[in-house]
Amino acid sequence: MTQPYVNINVENGVGTIEFFHPAHNSLPGDILAKLAQTITDAGNNDDIKVIVLKSGGDRTFCAGASFKELININDAETGKVFFSGFANVINAMRKCPKFIIGRIQGKTVGGGVGVASATDYCMATKFASIKLSELNVGIGPFVVGPAVERKIGLSAMTQIAIDANSFYNAEWARDKGLFTKVFEDTETLDAEVKAFAEHLCTYNPEAMGDMKKAFWEGTEHWDTLLGDRAIISGRLVLSDFTKETLKRFK
């Protein structure tokens, strides 16, 4: 079995960050921490003008947080730390002074939808359906909610958060503004992402940095907000309802 990883490759001014976990790219705390740090470091690297964020594997971009870790949470502090994993990645993306292009090759669930939403420009294949499944296990998409709402609006975010059992297809996600373009296959997606990223590298880095700041205006309080949201999820995961529900997944 391939080991989990977070890698970065820099070529022609484009920093491509790739993460992977054999369990459908569901991410445990150590991989989330590494991903957040890699994004921060890429933001500070003068050789990188634009960042591409992608995952390894074929048909799943990210299945959210690691269920294995979720099942083992037994106190509020551990719960807060666990749910802060995606909060830290989203905040690293938000504060990164460079545009982040999302390359979404397949299904994305829960925290993965939050990561896709926190990119500045996101392209996908037709296989990239999305689901906010948190309510299914007795919690809610509290941590990723602000990022998803900022991208697709409160109405669409509310819809997928409540309808926690349904996948919404890539066309729906494009219509709501999460994806800019949807392609037939991964090969076409990769070619388009590469061409687009390299073209962005010809623009003024200072202008792009100022644009990024302007696009994220009004989110300066997210360090606190997402931390508070992690506390809510950490409390709910300890509830009898959630504990009983999670037993089904053991």
Side-chain angles (χ1 to χ4, degrees), residues 5-168:
Y5 63 77
V6 178
N7 291 335
I8 182 162
N9 176 55
V10 184
E11 200 177 322
N12 300 329
V14 179
T16 301
I17 297 171
E18 181 175 319
F19 62 86
F20 174 77
H21 193 281
H24 300 291
N25 288 330
S26 60
L27 303 180
D30 59 334
I31 292 291
L32 286 167
K34 196 172 179 196
L35 181 57
Q37 190 58 54
T38 304
I39 291 164
T40 301
D41 292 345
N44 295 325
N45 184 341
D46 291 339
D47 293 334
I48 296 172
K49 294 185 172 66
V50 175
I51 295 166
V52 171
L53 184 63
K54 63 184 285 193
S55 67
D58 190 23
R59 284 291 167 85
T60 308
F61 171 69
C62 177
S66 165
F67 249 63
K68 205 172 171 186
E69 284 190 5
L70 185 66
I71 289 166
N72 291 323
I73 294 170
N74 292 309
D75 62 87
E77 184 53 34
T78 308
K80 187 200 169 187
V81 169
F82 174 83
F83 287 106
S84 294
F86 274 100
N88 294 337
V89 171
I90 289 168
N91 277 322
M93 294 171 75
R94 170 179 70 85
K95 288 187 262 190
C96 177
K98 284 146 194 182
F99 287 147
I100 300 175
I101 300 167
R103 176 261 198 197
I104 317 295
Q105 82 281 24
K107 285 183 173 177
T108 185
V109 180
V113 182
V115 170
S117 297
T119 63
D120 299 296
Y121 195 99
C122 200
M123 298 191 246
T125 70
K126 65 181 181 183
F127 306 107
S129 50
I130 65 169
K131 175 162 77 166
L132 286 182
S133 58
E134 287 86 346
L135 190 58
N136 260 331
V137 292
I139 51 178
F142 295 105
V143 170
V144 301
V148 180
E149 180 186 333
R150 174 184 168 272
K151 187 63 85 169
I152 67 174
L154 181 59
S155 175
M157 194 278 285
T158 303
Q159 182 181 339
I160 61 173
I162 292 173
D163 185 12
N165 212 27
S166 298
F167 272 103
Y168 285 75

